[in-house]
Amino acid sequence: MSFLFPTYARWEVEPEAAEGSILIDKNGKHYLDFTSGIGVCNLGHRPAAVQEAVSTQLNKFWHVSNLFVQEQQEIAAKHLSEAAGMGPVFFANSGAEANEAAIKLARKATGRQKIISFQQSFHGRTFAAMAATGQDKIKEGFGSMLETFKYVPFNDSNALEKEMDKETAAVMLEIVQGEGGIHIGTQEFLEKTEQLCRKYGSLLIIDEIQTGIGRTGKAFAFQYFNLDPDIVTSAKGLGSGLPIGAMIGKQELEEVFGPSSHGSTFGGNPISIAAAIATMETIFKKEFLKGVQEKGTYLANKLTESLEIITAVKEIRQLGMMVGIETDVHLPHLLKALREKGLLALPAGKNVLRLLPPLTATEAEIDEAAEILQSILKEYSKSAV
């Protein structure tokens, strides 16, 4: 009997220890972890600089509330603001909370209620974030959603233009739809989306919960496409495993979120902030991001070389260290077979295998992952013949 609600379809692996790209289970088995805690451990497990920063803060204070001035929050906010080329920051505890803040800010700033998002998107499981999500399976059983959200096909500028009007508070999108299957926005579509927002006085919200903090080889994925968002949300990789989320806004939105307009008891917790500063001080360095881009290219080439002749593989989609391998294989069986061989990977959408390696993964670890994938997918291709 478990004392937990069965909200997660848990794997058979129970972790005992982890470091870098390696996770060790209770039985002493080693795994190459290409999930990174679902895109959280961007510096691998227990990065030394982050561990030291957290340890230092633990010996100072753990919590005082946001009634107090906290210099470390200002430092963390400055890192985010400068990396995004934007303005003020609100700290939350998760990606869903960051998106809730973005939705509230957009509605308050514009005086409008309608928000457009995209089919197959994922923005979180709290009520407004769930309503913003363009996947019915996330909403089933919870009754009526907020009626002011509208959904159009991703990468379809014509459909978006038909839905846009003067009542639209914001358009909310992911540069890469992570949970939805690793679908990457096109330059034309993303540029048109921004143009439509400007035309109708709507805000552009970019959800970088999974794509941000170096995951794609840029501080934020929107920077590949020369976009100028009004609001950006971040979480996952921000704290290297400590719970933290953030909403970054343009400077002119500062006055909209004044005292009592929003809040979070634990948002910007000193321990999580310490982890975030140490994480960003590593990842936002130009040489580090350049290295991520080079590894992303190496990873893409290696996967193409290893998997291009395997019939079970239909398409490989990739941006930086974020990969989707579309297959015709039953994903739960495939993921279990990979775990048995020592590789941890994730599902995305209905039939997409998702890889989110640590940004610190070595070429040797990438080679090992590609070999395991090739071996298992070859077997599935044979059995399908």
Side-chain angles (χ1 to χ4, degrees):
M1 173 185 172
S2 172
F3 291 94
L4 299 169
F5 272 109
T7 50
Y8 304 102
R10 296 187 189 272
W11 297 343
E12 68 286 353
V13 178
E14 184 174 356
E16 176 67 19
E19 184 172 3
S21 302
I22 304 300
L23 182 144
I24 306 169
D25 73 10
K26 287 274 189 180
N27 300 315
K29 182 174 178 177
H30 286 55
Y31 299 85
L32 189 56
D33 185 359
F34 270 36
T35 74
S36 297
I38 315 183
V40 168
C41 302
N42 284 3
L43 293 175
H45 292 283
R46 297 192 303 110
V50 178
Q51 188 164 331
E52 182 180 354
V54 168
S55 178
T56 298
Q57 185 60 47
L58 281 169
N59 289 314
K60 292 181 177 179
F61 59 92
W62 300 3
H63 177 82
V64 291
S65 91
N66 283 310
L67 297 176
F68 293 82
V69 173
Q70 297 177 58
E71 181 186 11
Q72 295 300 93
Q73 286 187 350
E74 290 287 348
I75 293 170
K78 186 172 185 286
H79 280 309
L80 278 169
S81 180
E82 290 181 348
M86 297 179 70
V89 174
F90 176 85
F91 285 113
N93 302 291
S94 67
E97 284 190 20
N99 283 337
E100 291 274 343
I103 291 163
K104 287 180 66 175
L105 177 57
R107 288 175 59 145
K108 194 167 189 286
T110 62
R112 306 172 185 178
Q113 298 186 48
K114 176 179 171 181
I115 294 178
I116 301 172
S117 65
F118 296 88
Q119 294 170 11
Q120 296 307 121
S121 62
F122 182 82
H123 298 292
R125 295 180 185 271
T126 53
F127 223 83
M130 177 172 63
T133 294
Q135 298 186 53
D136 289 341
K137 68 178 182 180
I138 303 297
K139 309 171 191 179
E140 289 173 358
F142 296 107
S144 300
M145 293 290 108
L146 296 175
E147 296 178 355
T148 52
F149 285 93
K150 303 297 179 182
Y151 317 96
V152 298
F154 191 57
N155 275 332
D156 188 336
S157 297
N158 292 331
L160 176 61
E161 189 163 15
K162 288 176 183 177
E163 188 62 62
M164 292 287 291
D165 56 30
K166 290 289 186 181
E167 300 303 313
T168 304
V171 176
M172 188 173 191
L173 60 80
E174 302 157 276
I175 298 297
V176 182
Q177 291 188 325
E179 298 290 334
I182 315 297
H183 297 290
I184 304 168
T186 65
Q187 182 76 49
E188 180 184 9
F189 165 73
L190 294 170
E191 286 182 356
K192 183 66 174 180
T193 299
E194 183 177 322
Q195 290 167 11
L196 288 169
C197 285
R198 302 297 170 247
K199 176 180 178 180
Y200 288 98
S202 309
L203 300 185
L204 176 59
I205 302 172
I206 298 184
D207 177 338
E208 294 258 10
I209 304 304
Q210 191 167 150
T211 52
I213 319 298
R215 171 54 55 186
T216 66
K218 296 279 190 181
F220 296 96
F222 76 81
Q223 292 165 331
Y224 277 107
F225 300 91
N226 196 32
L227 300 176
D228 183 26
D230 298 288
I231 300 172
V232 170
T233 55
S234 177
K236 287 191 181 293
L238 182 54
S240 288
L242 276 289
I244 187 169
M247 177 193 69
I248 317 162
K250 277 190 170 177
Q251 193 63 49
E252 54 264 35
L253 295 172
E254 181 179 26
E255 62 184 21
V256 180
F257 252 27
S260 301
S261 60
H262 196 45
S264 171
T265 296
F266 297 107
N269 171 272
I271 309 302
S272 294
I273 286 288
I277 292 171
T279 299
M280 290 187 285
E281 285 180 348
T282 299
I283 290 177
F284 289 164
K285 289 179 179 176
K286 287 183 180 179
E287 58 268 29
F288 185 90
L289 290 171
K290 182 181 178 184
V292 175
Q293 293 175 28
E294 290 170 351
K295 286 180 187 176
T297 300
Y298 183 85
L299 174 62
N301 291 339
K302 193 68 183 180
L303 290 174
T304 299
E305 173 191 320
S306 302
L307 306 180
E308 62 183 351
I309 62 170
I310 296 177
T311 57
V313 175
K314 301 306 174 187
E315 186 179 18
I316 300 173
R317 299 186 286 271
Q318 174 261 352
L319 186 62
M321 297 288 270
M322 189 173 186
V323 178
I325 303 170
E326 188 169 336
T327 77
D328 59 7
V329 175
H330 183 60
L331 274 182
H333 292 168
L334 174 59
L335 291 169
K336 186 174 182 181
L338 291 171
R339 291 195 296 274
E340 288 171 354
K341 286 286 189 179
L343 176 63
L344 303 179
L346 294 161
K350 291 182 179 179
N351 59 340
V352 178
L353 177 73
R354 179 172 31 155
L355 300 177
L356 300 172
L359 308 184
T360 53
T362 65
E363 289 187 359
E365 289 169 336
I366 291 171
D367 291 346
E368 182 182 352
E371 288 172 11
I372 294 171
L373 281 163
Q374 183 186 62
S375 171
I376 295 297
L377 285 166
K378 270 184 178 179
E379 289 302 314
Y380 273 98
S381 294
K382 287 177 184 176
S383 64
V385 173

